[in-house]
Amino acid sequence: MKNLLTPLFYFLFVTRLFAQCPTVPVCQPDNILYADVTSNEVWFWNSPPFTWDSLHQQSNLTDAPLPLVCIWPDTCGMDNLEVNFQLLLDLNSDGVQETRISSTDDLPPGSFIFNNLFGGTDTLKYDNRTGFLRFHFEVLTERVGDSLQFSLVWVSSIDTVPAQLPLGNHQLLWLITEGGTTDSCGYSFVVRDTTPPLLVCSPALHVNMVVSGQLSLWASDFFQTASDNLTPSGLIQIAVRRKNVNESGFPLDSLGNPITRVDFTCWDAGFIPVEHIVELWSRDKAGNASFCYTTVSIGLGVWDCNFDPDILRICPFTEAKELIGNVKHTVSGTNPWLGNFNHVRWQEQPGCATFIGYISSSSDFTITPTRTDNILNGVTTYDLVLMSKHILGLQPLTSRYKMIAADANRSGTITTFDILTLRKLILGIDTALTSNTSWLFIPDSYVFPDTLNPFSASFPTVEYIENWVGWHDVRYFTGVKVGDVNGSAIPELNGNPVAESRGLRMLSAGNTRVLSDNSFDYPVYITQNETTNGFQLSLQYDPEMVEINAVESDQLPDFGAFNWSVPRAGELRISWSAGEAVLVTGRDPLFRIKGRSLTEEMPGYWFNQMTSATWPSEMYDAAGNIYALQIGEEAQKLEQMAVYAARPNPCTDVAVVPVELEQGAWLELEVWDTQGRMRWNHAQFYEKGAHLLEIPGWLLPDSGCYFWRLSSRLHSVSGKLVKE
């Protein structure tokens, strides 16, 4: 249809070009979306069988009132404007506008000719009311400041309202004539239902476990009412699942069908009923979804679940034998008597996922653990240093799992392409791996054909089990955090760890040169000579004051455009690494930031340290030590401290964190459990020298893993402490 209108637009444009007072109408943008939040009106657009709504299975097209306007700047004080419109409608939802309603139609109020763009002659009603109540289309002209606003409205003998049009993809053309000169304004628009159903869950359920030990509850068990502005109640879909922070959106199975059942076993019940939170979802025909929470409490009743079902446990460990959390475990397969099955368990805390009574003996199935969160967990520039040393043969990786972690693009080799892939993640250029995932889980039952080369054969990330014998079976997997070559990822949390013992390396800004064209050169120096294999640094700045064009270095070999990025406005990231250590000195700049000043102020004050628990600024020396990296205007005035790992570790009572201060500093010590709850914090000023910061034993009432963090004004150090 746009092709049909093109000659008309051209003619109108040329005609207007030679007018004495050129004026350009202000049009709405193309493909504007109008959200329908109203209920359907039975009197309008209801002329069966021509107005059949296949989506909602009714003869009454769903419609909405729309603000269809055009602004005409009245700079010439024009009089006697003639305003016409052509409205092109897609009433059968096939993507093609087949019906035209225009100012020149000579029809009774409330009437239109259906499919007249393609030869149709049927006269239908868009307003089925009688007499003086019927609406007709009309252009309403209003003055708004120095402009005229034309609105397409419905007018009857007693009322004027916004034009009400059916849902779909339509077009509107305004034709404005003054003194024989015609201007036009045309745009397409979409009318869509965006209102989700109003869903009400039933009150809390209280049930007892059934004799079989497997209780199934249905979405209808938790449903009370659902209503929608457009979709009839009988067409609203409902679905159900247990509350899970790792799943969102309307619950669907692998075939795209609503999940209408939730299953429970004896392990979900108790003599004191166990309460479970359930999500009930509703979805209308337009795809809008809403949900509500309710609960079900499951007791044992007269059935005590005293049976010995088949049990499958899946335990994911790191190479260091630490259990991994936030893992989705999927077990899918078939049983000769029960048919196909697909069961999923989210193990949020570190531990083993347990399937009790869900899988029967003689089943054939696969076990697939997956984890996709926090791609940068444990991934820093130091991993790139280790990969470079491996590629150069200076320090080969001796662990097959570290080699798998280094193969970021999953090509079966470790090359500079893997380094480039991970550097893009570190710099924030990419946010995901295109050929890999955040974690890989390799079944411990798999035997690598070549213990020195894990890529000699394709290794599995699922375990296949045939004719399962049942009973009590435990399957182990080794989880590999892709990109984490030095094993620093925290398996039970989403954040990145900071080295437990680290010194401090300082950077300082030099004199900044600003040229007449406002371009600047911002040099950054290291305050002491260092033999380094790499570093990463994050700086923040005001993007309204500074524009960064380049970061360059004469001291760092092969430093180029791929070593820095601006992942978001106001943040500069730098990452450089080398397999062979390089001596850098404070005589010349370590690197220079080049750009343009957007104000008259000095850019030397615009770059500040950006601190992040998941993206630490750090430097690596030739011996493999990791140092916190800090930039300051006056480096010699900043405090420095050395923090050592908590000891004894594991502990049975009191533990201490040793600290050495080069000058007095205000320190804060915090302790958390694995649930993220702060157990204790203590802050005070400590004089220059060595100190033992005590963690009282009564803070750790239970055996297990705890986390501590020691913070100063400039940086923080964290670590783990195990209570036996």
Side-chain angles (χ1 to χ4, degrees):
M1 182 51 60
K2 286 189 174 181
N3 292 334
L4 296 177
L5 296 176
T6 298
L8 177 59
F9 283 139
Y10 178 77
F11 170 77
L12 296 175
F13 172 77
V14 173
T15 303
R16 190 61 182 171
L17 184 64
F18 294 98
Q20 294 180 350
C21 186
T23 305
V24 178
V26 180
C27 240
Q28 297 277 20
D30 241 355
N31 296 316
I32 188 171
L33 172 64
Y34 293 113
D36 183 12
V37 298
T38 64
S39 299
N40 195 21
E41 181 62 63
V42 68
W43 295 106
F44 303 142
W45 303 102
N46 190 352
S47 294
F50 299 96
T51 56
W52 175 250
D53 183 351
S54 60
L55 182 64
H56 298 95
Q57 295 294 296
Q58 59 188 17
S59 61
N60 180 19
L61 294 179
T62 54
D63 46 63
L66 306 179
L68 301 173
V69 299
C70 177
I71 304 297
W72 181 270
D74 188 15
T75 59
C76 302
M78 294 176 291
D79 297 319
N80 302 320
L81 288 177
E82 178 184 344
V83 183
N84 293 291
F85 70 89
Q86 290 188 17
L87 185 61
L88 311 182
L89 303 177
D90 176 16
L91 299 180
N92 55 9
S93 300
D94 63 354
V96 177
Q97 288 93 26
E98 79 291 322
T99 299
R100 178 178 59 205
I101 298 176
S102 70
S103 311
T104 58
D105 291 344
D106 185 16
L107 295 170
S111 301
F112 71 102
I113 299 177
F114 178 74
N115 197 37
N116 54 358
L117 287 174
F118 296 95
T121 58
D122 295 296
T123 300
L124 308 179
K125 301 287 187 190
Y126 59 80
D127 185 351
N128 283 303
R129 298 175 304 171
T130 59
F132 65 93
L133 294 176
R134 282 183 180 163
F135 286 118
H136 65 273
F137 283 93
E138 191 170 299
V139 177
L140 176 66
T141 302
E142 298 175 288
R143 177 166 293 279
V144 180
D146 293 333
S147 300
L148 297 177
Q149 176 175 291
F150 308 122
S151 304
L152 185 58
V153 297
W154 274 1
V155 177
S156 71
S157 59
I158 61 173
D159 202 3
T160 298
V161 299
Q164 194 140 327
L165 299 181
L167 272 61
N169 298 286
H170 312 304
Q171 293 187 51
L172 176 60
L173 173 65
W174 295 93
L175 301 171
I176 304 168
T177 303
E178 191 270 334
T181 301
T182 300
D183 255 308
S184 66
C185 171
Y187 58 91
S188 60
F189 60 94
V190 180
V191 188
R192 185 178 302 159
D193 176 20
T194 60
T195 303
L198 177 61
L199 176 66
V200 179
C201 285
S202 65
L205 292 180
H206 300 273
V207 297
N208 286 330
M209 180 53 62
V210 295
V211 175
S212 65
Q214 290 186 321
L215 173 66
S216 294
L217 295 176
W218 300 87
S220 57
D221 295 323
F222 305 99
F223 175 82
Q224 184 163 314
T225 62
S227 59
D228 188 67
N229 63 321
L230 298 179
T231 301
S233 298
L235 297 181
I236 297 175
Q237 294 179 315
I238 60 173
V240 68
R241 66 163 162 252
R242 296 196 199 195
K243 181 184 178 183
N244 191 318
V245 297
N246 293 293
E247 293 184 283
S248 61
F250 190 79
L252 298 171
D253 61 20
S254 59
L255 298 178
N257 299 315
I259 297 174
T260 58
R261 189 185 76 186
V262 60
D263 297 322
F264 302 90
T265 68
C266 287
W267 286 79
D268 297 311
F271 288 108
I272 298 177
V274 179
E275 184 179 83
H276 303 274
I277 301 177
V278 173
E279 293 178 7
L280 182 69
W281 284 77
S282 64
R283 185 172 68 173
D284 65 17
K285 297 298 289 185
N288 305 304
S290 61
F291 70 94
C292 57
Y293 290 124
T294 187
T295 62
V296 55
S297 297
I298 305 176
L300 288 176
V302 296
W303 171 248
D304 62 1
C305 278
N306 185 20
F307 70 101
D308 196 4
D310 291 323
I311 298 175
L312 173 66
R313 300 183 71 212
I314 307 170
C315 302
F317 287 87
T318 65
E319 186 180 12
K321 301 306 178 187
E322 293 182 281
L323 279 166
I324 303 172
N326 203 25
V327 179
K328 177 183 178 181
H329 299 273
T330 303
V331 178
S332 58
T334 185
N335 181 275
W337 301 286
L338 302 178
N340 297 332
F341 58 85
N342 185 79
H343 303 301
V344 177
R345 282 284 184 273
W346 280 96
Q347 188 64 35
E348 296 181 15
Q349 298 303 319
C352 301
T354 304
F355 295 80
I356 301 176
Y358 279 91
I359 307 165
S360 302
S361 59
S362 302
S363 296
D364 299 332
F365 56 89
T366 60
I367 303 173
T368 309
T370 55
R371 178 175 172 179
T372 59
D373 67 298
N374 195 2
I375 194 70
L376 282 179
N377 183 5
V379 181
T380 68
T381 304
Y382 187 61
D383 297 298
L384 310 188
V385 171
L386 297 178
M387 292 168 63
S388 296
K389 290 183 176 182
H390 174 86
I391 293 171
L392 296 174
L394 301 176
Q395 185 180 322
L397 299 173
T398 57
S399 161
R400 55 178 175 261
Y401 295 114
K402 286 181 171 58
M403 295 181 195
I404 292 172
D407 182 19
N409 61 6
R410 208 164 181 183
S411 64
T413 57
I414 302 172
T415 67
T416 54
F417 288 108
D418 298 300
I419 294 177
L420 292 174
T421 297
L422 292 177
R423 196 185 303 279
K424 287 183 179 180
L425 288 179
I426 293 170
L427 292 176
I429 298 172
D430 293 339
T431 58
L433 294 168
T434 57
S435 303
N436 215 332
T437 185
S438 184
W439 288 78
L440 296 173
F441 294 90
I442 303 168
D444 285 8
S445 60
Y446 174 71
V447 178
F448 287 89
D450 186 344
T451 57
L452 299 179
N453 179 14
F455 309 120
S456 63
S458 178
F459 56 83
T461 55
V462 299
E463 183 164 12
Y464 300 89
I465 298 175
E466 294 183 353
N467 196 23
W468 187 49
V469 297
W471 195 236
H472 296 180
D473 189 10
V474 182
R475 299 289 169 153
Y476 298 97
F477 286 77
T478 296
V480 178
K481 176 63 188 69
V482 175
D484 176 27
V485 182
N486 69 333
S488 62
I490 297 181
E492 59 273 310
L493 296 176
N494 288 336
N496 277 23
V498 180
E500 292 191 351
S501 176
R502 57 169 57 188
L504 181 65
R505 291 294 181 264
M506 295 300 307
L507 303 176
S508 63
N511 294 326
T512 304
R513 293 187 300 115
V514 181
L515 303 181
S516 58
D517 62 353
N518 276 358
S519 63
F520 68 83
D521 187 322
Y522 183 93
V524 176
Y525 297 81
I526 191 167
T527 59
Q528 65 184 71
N529 295 351
E530 182 67 69
T531 303
T532 179
N533 283 97
F535 72 92
Q536 63 180 41
L537 177 68
S538 179
L539 300 175
Q540 61 184 0
Y541 63 93
D542 188 342
E544 296 185 359
M545 301 176 69
V546 172
E547 177 183 88
I548 298 175
N549 298 326
V551 180
E552 300 175 355
S553 175
D554 295 328
Q555 289 208 66
L556 303 173
D558 300 322
F559 189 97
F562 48 85
N563 291 109
W564 67 276
S565 77
V566 178
R568 60 186 63 85
E571 180 183 1
L572 170 64
R573 290 185 183 181
I574 302 173
S575 168
W576 173 82
S577 61
E580 297 184 270
V582 174
L583 175 63
V584 294
T585 70
R587 182 183 60 186
D588 299 315
L590 183 64
F591 60 85
R592 295 177 178 274
I593 304 173
K594 295 186 176 183
R596 188 169 66 91
S597 169
L598 304 180
T599 72
E600 298 302 322
E601 300 182 39
M602 285 291 293
Y605 298 97
W606 297 345
F607 292 95
N608 299 301
Q609 185 85 31
M610 177 172 282
T611 58
S612 170
T614 59
W615 209 97
S617 293
E618 53 191 26
M619 177 172 278
Y620 323 108
D621 69 9
N625 297 311
I626 302 176
Y627 298 93
L629 191 60
Q630 178 73 39
I631 186 170
E633 295 294 331
E634 299 180 75
Q636 68 276 10
K637 295 183 180 180
L638 302 178
E639 82 266 19
Q640 299 185 32
M641 69 177 182
V643 183
Y644 303 91
R647 62 192 190 203
N649 194 5
C651 68
T652 57
D653 192 12
V654 177
V656 296
V657 178
V659 181
E660 291 182 5
L661 296 174
E662 293 189 12
Q663 66 179 54
W666 188 270
L667 303 179
E668 181 179 20
L669 181 61
E670 302 164 292
V671 179
W672 290 276
D673 60 19
T674 56
Q675 302 296 318
R677 297 172 298 195
M678 180 178 290
R679 291 285 189 172
W680 184 67
N681 75 308
H682 176 71
Q684 73 175 68
F685 184 83
Y686 292 87
E687 298 292 343
K688 174 182 178 180
H691 304 274
L692 295 176
L693 278 61
E694 182 177 293
I695 301 176
W698 57 266
L699 290 175
L700 318 175
D702 304 316
S703 298
C705 184
Y706 295 84
F707 299 89
W708 59 267
R709 180 172 68 184
L710 182 64
S711 304
S712 71
R713 182 171 63 91
L714 293 178
H715 54 275
S716 64
V717 179
S718 62
K720 291 185 289 188
L721 180 63
V722 177
K723 171 69 178 296
E724 292 185 336

